[in-house]
Amino acid sequence: MSNTTLEKVKSILFLELRPWIFGSQQDLKFKQLLSEVKSVDYTFQPLYELVFDKPISNIRKWYCALIDAEMTIYMNQIQSSINESNIESEKKYHVHFALTRTLSQLLKEVNTVISDKGYTSDQYNIDNFKTLTNPLIADESFILHYLKHSVIRSYFEIQDANTELLKEAPLSFEEVYYTFFKENVPTQSIIIDVIPDVVPAIASKRIEPKQEIKFTPIQNDIRSPKKGIYQYSDVIKTPKRFAEFEEKLFLNGYIDEDYTFTNKHGYKNELAAIYHHAINKGYFNPRKFQPNKEIKPVDIRKFLDHRYDCSLDKQFRNLTQEAVTNFTDKHNWLYTLVLG
């Protein structure tokens, strides 16, 4: 692995790229610098993405581009080292070193700089911009917090893509934020799950594959009642149509013959998108009667989670309608799904 890995990130923290040494310089300078940054493509399918405040100045855009490129290069190198290793102990070494040495140390260093400079997320909140004594602080704080969440995201990309190679128990988001920054996970999620792009040739193989195991659609509740979960008769608008939909879930590998979520890699994100698509297609009643009560999307998510024995709360909440549309457009069986 190159000795220059994360060189620019180190420079942002300690050397010539520290954002506070630039002072008040013309925005055109950073616009020119931004045009010189080359984007870097992933050589693997990312599990996560950042949903951060939009950079509103060229200095912010430039730093975001630098950080994105540098962290992508690093993650590509790690995954490449893992994939090219033929010995499992070597694979474990690459993962362990990245998590417990490189990224852990970097998280500590980011926290030190943010603490020493007194940066807070309120400083780059656009609602507070006019009250800042020095507006440059807003840019500096934005950049360091963007770097912070980028490194955290890289930590989870490597950890969660290689759980079978971990030497220790994986850390949760709550543990990472508390361990390195002594804070709670942001109320508004900044690091969210990605719905992976599927190569059309691969996607076509997953459409209506041959199955030796027989699937029997059940137009009724299949699990014991649970407090806070609506019953099948309350939620499902047209049982026959919904049964056809569930058969397609089985044929495409999302549930097994026992109506249990298969939990294959990346399928949590995909099934959450399918939940949204089914809601959009009108498979569920808008209201429950006796007593009269609105059935909300979260109620449907809970019903489906209980039915398929899974938990997709985070994935369901974090999906945008654009992401759902992009996913369903790539899967013919979803795109052509009849209305409920």
Side-chain angles (χ1 to χ4, degrees), residues 283-308:
Y283 281 88
F284 309 99
N285 290 320
R287 304 195 69 83
K288 174 186 182 297
F289 299 96
Q290 297 180 354
N292 191 335
K293 188 176 182 180
E294 179 186 4
I295 297 178
K296 299 178 180 179
V298 66
D299 298 318
I300 296 170
R301 194 271 304 164
K302 290 179 180 179
F303 167 81
L304 294 173
D305 276 358
H306 181 58
R307 188 169 178 84
Y308 307 136

Side-chain angles (χ1 to χ4, degrees), residues 134-151:
N134 181 3
L136 294 176
I137 295 295
D139 286 334
E140 297 169 16
S141 183
F142 177 96
I143 292 162
L144 265 295
H145 279 88
Y146 186 85
L147 175 59
K148 164 186 169 179
H149 294 293
S150 294
V151 178

Side-chain angles (χ1 to χ4, degrees), residues 105-123:
Q105 181 62 29
L106 188 55
L107 288 169
K108 293 175 183 176
E109 291 169 346
V110 172
N111 179 57
T112 297
V113 173
I114 289 176
S115 298
D116 289 349
K117 300 293 290 185
Y119 292 141
T120 69
S121 57
D122 288 337
Q123 292 167 332

Side-chain angles (χ1 to χ4, degrees), residues 71-238:
M71 297 312 299
T72 302
I73 289 171
Y74 174 72
M75 289 185 286
N76 285 346
Q77 288 177 332
I78 293 296
Q79 286 302 139
S80 177
S81 296
I82 294 169
N83 295 337
E84 292 173 2
S85 298
N86 295 320
I87 303 173
E88 185 173 359
S89 61
E90 291 182 357
K91 294 177 182 286
K92 289 182 176 180
Y93 170 80
H94 290 303
V95 175
H96 187 71
F97 192 91
L99 297 179
T100 64
R101 297 285 294 277
T102 304
L103 292 176
S104 289
Q105 181 62 29
L106 188 55
L107 288 169
K108 293 175 183 176
E109 291 169 346
V110 172
N111 179 57
T112 297
V113 173
I114 289 176
S115 298
D116 289 349
K117 300 293 290 185
Y119 292 141
T120 69
S121 57
D122 288 337
Q123 292 167 332
Y124 57 83
N125 186 323
I126 194 65
D127 295 331
N128 301 329
F129 187 79
K130 293 182 180 179
T131 64
L132 287 175
T133 305
N134 181 3
L136 294 176
I137 295 295
D139 286 334
E140 297 169 16
S141 183
F142 177 96
I143 292 162
L144 265 295
H145 279 88
Y146 186 85
L147 175 59
K148 164 186 169 179
H149 294 293
S150 294
V151 178
I152 293 173
R153 179 239 164 162
S154 298
Y155 185 100
F156 283 101
E157 286 285 1
I158 295 171
Q159 174 187 272
D160 293 357
N162 301 284
T163 53
E164 73 285 356
L165 299 174
L166 298 178
K167 294 184 178 181
E168 301 171 354
L171 295 182
S172 66
F173 278 92
E174 289 78 9
E175 288 171 321
V176 167
Y177 274 94
Y178 179 78
T179 299
F180 296 102
F181 300 98
K182 294 299 182 288
E183 64 186 33
N184 294 322
V185 177
T187 304
Q188 184 68 35
S189 296
I190 293 176
I191 302 171
I192 67 171
D193 295 310
V194 167
I195 295 180
D197 293 327
V198 180
V199 178
I202 296 176
S204 64
K205 293 179 182 179
R206 287 177 48 199
I207 297 174
E208 306 291 354
K210 293 182 180 179
Q211 297 286 338
E212 296 180 359
I213 301 173
K214 182 176 176 58
F215 178 77
T216 304
I218 301 173
Q219 299 180 29
N220 206 338
D221 291 303
I222 57 176
R223 304 192 191 279
S224 300
K226 185 177 180 180
K227 184 177 180 180
I229 306 296
Y230 285 128
Q231 294 183 331
Y232 184 94
S233 58
D234 294 324
V235 176
I236 302 305
K237 181 188 293 184
T238 309

Side-chain angles (χ1 to χ4, degrees), residues 255-323:
I255 60 175
D256 62 21
E257 69 276 14
D258 296 319
Y259 273 80
T260 301
F261 174 49
T262 56
N263 201 18
K264 296 177 184 177
H265 182 70
Y267 273 29
K268 281 190 174 182
N269 301 315
E270 296 189 12
L271 187 57
I274 293 170
Y275 281 9
H276 278 284
H277 187 60
I279 292 171
N280 294 338
K281 283 288 188 177
Y283 281 88
F284 309 99
N285 290 320
R287 304 195 69 83
K288 174 186 182 297
F289 299 96
Q290 297 180 354
N292 191 335
K293 188 176 182 180
E294 179 186 4
I295 297 178
K296 299 178 180 179
V298 66
D299 298 318
I300 296 170
R301 194 271 304 164
K302 290 179 180 179
F303 167 81
L304 294 173
D305 276 358
H306 181 58
R307 188 169 178 84
Y308 307 136
D309 193 22
C310 60
S311 178
L312 305 184
D313 177 37
K314 183 178 72 170
Q315 292 81 2
F316 186 81
R317 285 187 289 107
N318 288 338
L319 279 172
T320 64
Q321 185 54 53
E322 180 182 6

Side-chain angles (χ1 to χ4, degrees), residues 318-330:
N318 288 338
L319 279 172
T320 64
Q321 185 54 53
E322 180 182 6
V324 173
T325 301
N326 289 339
F327 174 73
T328 55
D329 284 350
K330 296 175 183 177

